[in-house]
Amino acid sequence: MKFGLTMPPFGPYADPNTLASIARDAESAGWDGFFIWDHVVYDHPYHPLVDPWIGLAAIAAQTSALRFGAMITSIARRHPWKVARETVSLDLLSRGRLIFGAGLGDPPERDFGTFNEPEDAAIRAERLDEGLTILDGLWSGQPFSFQGAHYTVKETVFLPVAAQHPRIPIWVGGGWNKRAPMRRAARWDGFFPLKWRSMVTVDDWRNIQPYIRERRTSDAPFDWVQGGTTPGDHPDQAAAIVRPYLDVGVTWWVEQIDPWRFGLGWDDLMTPDIVEQMNERIRQGPPKLV
């Protein structure tokens, strides 16, 4: 099992230099992955917020082994060809360490509605599926064209290709009990199930995994990604929380480092003491299973 963390690049982390600094701390502490949220507008009151691709470029340039990415990017509000350029450039900059997280994106009324873009989940899902197909085609470096309900690509060749082959890994995020994101994930390289305000359980995984495996058409490696929280100052408790997920075959544990975990109210701005608690949990490192 590998261990990553995910955090909103809000408040002081909206400065790419600060974000890169804490990513270096994460790498030194033994984390395997560092993932940030991808939003244009998220909450109210409005936190400062970094552009994810600039933030990820800073992380890539200041680390050497850490896997990284945005968890998740809603392709429905981005041009897939622009995302293709950004992701290949990041993968080359990092020498093959990018993981691409994809999903519908929330909250739609903020990230989409603010800019008069479609909030409807069905439309966003169609754009997501078309966008992933376009990404995969452009990443190939071969002649590619596409005609869909939402996007059109006349035949073109995108070069250079990414450092990773056959492609940058794609993890799909979505509801733990929803079949559509599971079917989507089966076509790609990993599934990150989400359960609002609680953790996906081991029993949940016992239902998720067979459903996806039955729909896989490739024998390529596939990641099962679990999000959750563990106490950094109680190693035995942390190991006890994580070990059952290892036993069921989960390949990544992604620690949720967010201000709400440490008591921030949903309508409150981040405070220095909350930021220090987030930084401290990162520096404490991942759970140890040996």
Side-chain angles (χ1 to χ4, degrees):
M1 179 184 280
K2 294 181 179 179
F3 294 93
L5 62 90
T6 178
M7 63 182 298
F10 297 173
Y13 307 111
D15 182 340
N17 298 291
T18 301
L19 197 59
S21 176
I22 199 65
R24 289 197 304 271
D25 289 347
E27 187 170 65
S28 297
W31 296 96
D32 301 299
F34 192 99
F35 305 105
I36 63 173
W37 300 9
D38 178 350
H39 294 285
V40 178
V41 176
Y42 179 77
D43 60 355
H44 187 274
Y46 298 111
H47 278 96
L49 179 61
V50 75
D51 176 88
W53 306 107
I54 301 300
L56 292 172
I59 291 167
Q62 294 296 318
T63 58
S64 60
L66 208 61
R67 301 303 298 266
F68 68 97
M71 292 292 154
I72 53 78
T73 290
S74 175
I75 303 176
R77 60 175 167 76
R78 297 184 180 275
H79 292 308
W81 38 91
K82 183 69 164 61
V83 176
R85 282 287 186 222
E86 290 163 338
T87 49
V88 167
S89 297
L90 275 172
D91 200 54
L92 291 171
L93 175 64
S94 65
R95 295 179 173 85
R97 293 185 282 129
L98 179 66
I99 295 172
F100 185 76
L104 292 188
D106 281 311
E109 67 277 9
R110 297 270 172 79
D111 254 355
F112 290 81
T114 300
F115 308 102
N116 201 34
E117 294 188 66
E119 299 178 39
D120 181 78
I123 293 175
R124 291 185 291 132
E126 291 172 0
R127 288 186 175 185
L128 171 57
D129 286 327
E130 289 189 15
L132 288 174
T133 299
I134 292 169
L135 273 183
D136 191 41
L138 295 177
W139 282 348
S140 72
Q142 300 298 314
F144 173 76
S145 61
F146 181 84
Q147 180 63 61
H150 301 280
Y151 300 114
T152 298
V153 179
K154 297 179 181 179
E155 185 170 299
T156 187
V157 176
F158 256 41
L159 294 171
V161 296
Q164 298 182 81
H165 300 287
R167 64 166 172 257
I168 297 165
I170 295 173
W171 290 354
V172 172
W176 67 278
N177 59 348
K178 296 185 182 300
R179 298 304 192 188
M182 292 187 208
R183 291 192 296 271
R184 182 174 296 117
R187 299 196 295 270
W188 303 105
D189 308 299
F191 184 50
F192 193 161
L194 307 173
K195 196 179 213 181
W196 177 245
R197 304 299 292 272
S198 62
M199 283 171 49
V200 173
T201 68
V202 168
D203 285 340
D204 293 334
W205 277 109
R206 292 193 177 106
N207 293 320
I208 291 168
Q209 290 171 317
Y211 186 86
I212 292 178
R213 287 189 178 114
E214 289 170 3
R215 287 154 182 79
R216 292 278 289 159
T217 59
S218 168
D219 58 2
F222 190 88
D223 281 312
W224 311 99
V225 187
Q226 170 71 30
T229 60
T230 59
D233 53 352
H234 293 285
D236 292 344
Q237 291 180 23
I241 292 170
V242 173
R243 188 169 286 109
Y245 293 94
L246 173 66
D247 294 341
V248 83
V250 167
T251 60
W252 274 84
W253 175 274
V254 176
E255 188 82 10
Q256 295 166 348
I257 310 289
D258 61 58
W260 305 284
R261 153 183 186 170
F262 297 104
L264 191 78
W266 284 104
D267 296 324
D268 297 331
L269 290 170
M270 291 169 68
T271 58
D273 63 308
I274 291 289
V275 171
E276 181 50 39
Q277 289 181 74
M278 292 171 65
N279 291 345
E280 176 62 18
R281 181 63 194 93
I282 292 171
R283 296 185 187 113
Q284 287 169 335
K288 303 294 192 297
L289 297 179
V290 294

